[in-house]
Amino acid sequence: MSESGRNRWARALFGCVGADVPAEVVLLVRLLAIAWLLTGHALFLPTRSVPFFEVLGPIANSPVVAWAEFVVGVVCAVQLLLGRAVRVSALTLGCLIFVTTLLSRAYFSNNRLYTACLLVLAGLEASKGSKLLLRAQVIVLYLAAGLDKLFDADWRSGAFLRSFASNLASYGRLWSPGHDATTAYLPAQLFGSLLDTTPGLAVVASWGTLLLEIGIGLALLARRRRIGIALGLAFHAVLLVYTGSPMGMFFYAATASYFAFVDLPSRIDVRVGPRMYAPLLRVLAAVDADGLCHVQPGPRLSVIIADETRYGASALFALAVRLPAFYVAAAAILAGPWFTPWSALVLIPLALGFCPFGPLAPRTEIREVTG
Amino acid sequence: MLLSLLLRTNRRERACLVLGTTLLIIQVILFVRARFTETRYFCWAPFHSEARYTIDATIGGRALNDDEIARRYVLERYYWDKASRTNWELNAIAHVIDTVRATEAALLPSERAAVVVTYRVNGRPPERWHSP
C-alpha cells in the first residue's frame, strides 16, 4: 500500500478532529461502532418476539423491516468507524436500536439501550463545549443503577449476590454474543465458593458494589473526573474478570462513555534522541492521524502535554494513552471474537500513563473586588 | 446552567439540547415509576434481581415440550439447564411473565395456552404465576 493510502486509512480509523462534533465524541462513537461490529451485534438479525406495544404488531414480524434494520445498522456502524457523517450515523443507529427494542421484547437489554442512548446523545451534542448531554447520561446511569440496588432489600441483605454467585459458579460465565456461557470458569467458581464459606462477605460485596456505583455517579457529578473514571474503570475491569464476559455491549459502552468527561490534548510536544528519532516519526505518521504530536530531536525521550513533562517509559505510556489510536486498538482487542477476560490487561497502560486523559482543565477563579 | 445554554445556542443546537434533555428526563421518570412496579424497563436496573424459572404450557390438554415453549415465547436459552428444566433470567422475572402474557394475548383465543411459570427470585422459595 502506498504511503498516501496508508495515511488515508490512518486518518479514517484514528482521526477524530474535523467533524462537527467534539473529537472526544467522534472517538466515543467510533469505539461503540467497533464493539457493535466485532461483537456481532451489527451482523445478526435481531430475535423477534412480541412488541412492547400491540399497535406495532403488524410491522414487528416483517422480514423487510428486519432486513432494513440490518442494512441500516451495518452502514451506520461502518460510517461511525470511519468517522464519516458522525452526527447522522450516531442518531440513526441509536434510534434503530430503540425501534428494534420496541418491536421485540426479546431484544430488550440494558446494555444495548445504554449504547443507544449514548449514540443518540452523541448525535445531539453541541459542536463545541462540555458534552453536557453525554455527561448527564453517564451520571444518570450510575446513580440509577446504584440507587435501584440500594432500594432493594435483597441487595441490602446480600441475598441477590449469594444466589447470583452460586448460579454463576454452576453455569460458568455470563453469556455474551459469540461466547459460550457454559464452560467452567475459575474466578466465578472461586467467588461462589468463597461466599458459601463466608456468608457475611455477600453483604459486604453487595454494599461495596452499590456504594461504588453511587460513588462513581457522585464523583462525576462533583467534577472529580479522575476519581470517577478511575473507580469506573476498576469496577468494570473487575466485573469483566469475575463474570468472564463483557455482557454484550455493557463493558464497551460503559468504558467508552468516560470520553464524555475527557478533553483530548490539542498538542503534544515530543523530544527524542537521535537513535529513536526516525522510527518514532514513522510510527507517529501511521497512528497520529490528527497531527497532535510535534517531534523534535532532543537528548532523551520526553513528552510535554499542557506544561507537564514526562521522561523515558513514563513519557511513552503518557503519549500512547493520549492518542486515539490506542483506544481503537484496545477496543479491537477487547471486542473481537478473540476476547478473553485477560484482554482486560490492555487497560494496564492507562494506569501506567497515570493521568491518562490529560490534566484537568484549569479552574476559573472569581475574585470579588470590593470598594 | 441549562437555561444559560438554551439562551446562548442557535436554533438547531437548542432543539438538540431539548431533545437530549427529554431523553434523560424520560429515564428519570421511568426510574421513579419502577419503584411502584415489578418491571425494570429503561430505568438502569441491571442485575436488579435474578431468577431461575420453568415454564409449563398446555394447549387443548397437550403439554408443549421445552423446545416448543422456547420457540413460542422466543426465549434465549443461554443458561438452560436440561436436568432441572430451568432457565436463568438476569432481569426482573416480571419481564418473562410480561412476554408470556403479551404473546398469549396476541393469539386467537383458540390458540392460547394455559401457562404456569414457576420461579425462584434471588434464591427465595418458589413462586408461581399462571394464565389464565
Side-chain angles (χ1 to χ4, degrees):
Chain A
M1 194 187 289
S2 69
E3 196 171 330
S4 67
R6 270 201 304 274
N7 286 346
R8 240 197 338 268
W9 274 106
R11 174 97 195 98
L13 288 171
F14 307 138
C16 294
V17 177
D20 70 336
V21 287
E24 298 82 13
V25 176
V26 176
L27 183 54
L28 191 163
V29 294
R30 177 173 291 147
L31 298 180
L32 292 179
I34 291 170
W36 191 253
L37 288 165
L38 287 182
T39 53
H41 276 91
L43 304 176
F44 299 116
L45 291 175
T47 323
R48 289 296 194 207
S49 72
V50 279
F52 271 92
F53 301 104
E54 232 172 282
V55 68
L56 298 171
I59 58 164
N61 287 314
S62 156
V64 177
V65 174
W67 276 101
E69 284 175 327
F70 168 73
V71 172
V72 173
V74 171
V75 169
C76 289
V78 172
Q79 291 274 75
L80 292 175
L81 173 69
L82 300 176
R84 290 182 188 163
V86 173
R87 201 180 279 282
V88 173
S89 302
L91 269 172
T92 309
L93 184 56
C95 290
L96 190 76
I97 300 170
F98 278 127
V99 170
T100 308
T101 304
L102 285 174
L103 289 176
S104 173
R105 284 172 184 268
Y107 195 69
F108 170 84
S109 77
N110 283 298
N111 70 79
R112 276 191 288 261
L113 282 183
Y114 186 51
T115 306
C117 285
L118 290 176
L119 288 167
V120 167
L121 294 176
L124 295 174
E125 275 294 357
S127 312
K128 290 173 192 163
S130 58
K131 305 171 283 276
L132 195 71
L133 293 171
L134 285 164
R135 287 182 183 189
Q137 177 61 75
V138 180
I139 292 166
V140 166
L141 171 86
Y142 283 105
L143 288 182
L147 290 174
D148 182 75
K149 293 177 177 71
L150 182 65
F151 294 148
D152 189 89
D154 283 347
W155 261 94
R156 292 195 303 270
S157 69
F160 166 84
L161 201 57
R162 213 172 292 125
S163 182
F164 172 82
S166 160
N167 277 319
L168 185 61
S170 70
Y171 280 113
R173 56 176 74 182
L174 284 185
W175 181 84
S176 205
H179 302 284
D180 181 21
T182 53
T183 42
Y185 182 58
L186 189 64
Q189 288 173 333
L190 284 177
F191 190 63
S193 54
L194 196 64
L195 290 191
D196 285 343
T197 53
T198 326
L201 189 62
V203 183
V204 176
S206 292
W207 277 91
T209 305
L210 70 89
L211 289 178
L212 188 58
E213 285 186 333
I214 295 170
I216 294 167
L218 290 178
L220 295 173
L221 185 64
R223 299 186 179 198
R224 303 284 178 201
R225 291 184 281 170
R226 286 190 204 187
I227 295 173
I229 292 171
L231 286 175
L233 287 175
F235 176 58
H236 292 295
V238 168
L239 275 184
L240 187 78
V241 173
Y242 164 54
T243 63
S245 161
M247 293 176 246
M249 284 292 292
F250 181 60
F251 176 81
Y252 313 112
T255 48
S257 67
Y258 297 141
F259 276 103
F261 296 89
V262 162
D263 297 317
L264 290 172
S266 53
R267 182 186 173 100
I268 303 173
D269 287 301
V270 184
R271 305 271 187 279
V272 64
R275 206 156 50 91
M276 292 291 291
Y277 186 75
L280 187 68
L281 276 184
R282 270 200 302 277
V283 171
L284 288 177
V287 297
D288 178 24
D290 291 326
L292 299 176
C293 297
H294 298 262
V295 186
Q296 287 181 333
R300 58 185 287 209
L301 178 64
S302 68
V303 168
I304 306 163
I305 305 160
D307 297 333
E308 189 191 348
T309 309
R310 301 232 192 158
Y311 299 96
S314 167
L316 209 56
F317 283 117
L319 175 64
V321 299
R322 282 169 174 83
L323 294 175
F326 169 79
Y327 299 95
V328 171
I333 291 168
L334 281 160
W338 41 82
F339 163 86
T340 76
W342 301 112
S343 308
L345 291 173
V346 79
L347 296 177
I348 283 179
L350 283 181
L352 294 174
F354 187 56
C355 43
F357 299 114
L360 293 172
R363 292 178 182 217
T364 310
E365 282 186 22
I366 300 171
R367 196 186 301 166
E368 275 187 35
V369 181
T370 51
Chain B
M1 184 195 270
L2 192 66
L3 191 67
S4 72
L5 260 174
L6 279 172
L7 289 175
R8 70 187 148 89
T9 49
N10 63 34
R11 188 183 288 180
R12 196 198 77 169
E13 289 194 340
R14 211 175 299 154
C16 288
L17 195 61
V18 169
L19 279 174
T21 309
T22 307
L23 180 62
L24 292 164
I25 290 171
I26 289 170
Q27 295 169 35
V28 175
I29 291 170
L30 289 175
F31 173 80
V32 174
R33 178 185 169 270
R35 303 308 107 208
F36 309 101
T37 63
E38 293 293 315
T39 55
R40 290 290 182 277
Y41 292 118
F42 199 35
C43 60
W44 311 129
F47 301 101
H48 161 77
S49 61
E50 54 89 40
R52 286 183 99 141
Y53 69 93
T54 306
I55 299 178
D56 293 293
T58 317
I59 304 176
R62 186 181 80 83
L64 302 185
N65 65 35
D66 292 326
D67 291 334
E68 288 172 319
I69 289 170
R71 272 199 305 275
R72 185 178 182 88
Y73 303 116
V74 196
L75 298 168
E76 303 293 0
R77 296 209 287 178
Y78 313 125
Y79 306 107
W80 174 249
D81 181 41
K82 205 171 179 179
S84 62
R85 290 190 60 236
T86 56
N87 207 351
W88 193 26
E89 175 60 42
L90 288 164
N91 284 304
I93 189 66
H95 294 191
V96 174
I97 292 171
D98 258 8
T99 302
V100 171
R101 189 190 285 133
T103 305
E104 294 301 330
L107 296 169
L108 294 170
S110 58
E111 295 170 347
R112 287 180 192 158
V115 191
V116 178
V117 182
T118 311
Y119 56 92
R120 289 183 62 160
V121 176
N122 300 340
R124 290 200 300 256
E127 293 172 65
R128 195 166 279 193
W129 175 88
H130 56 85
S131 165

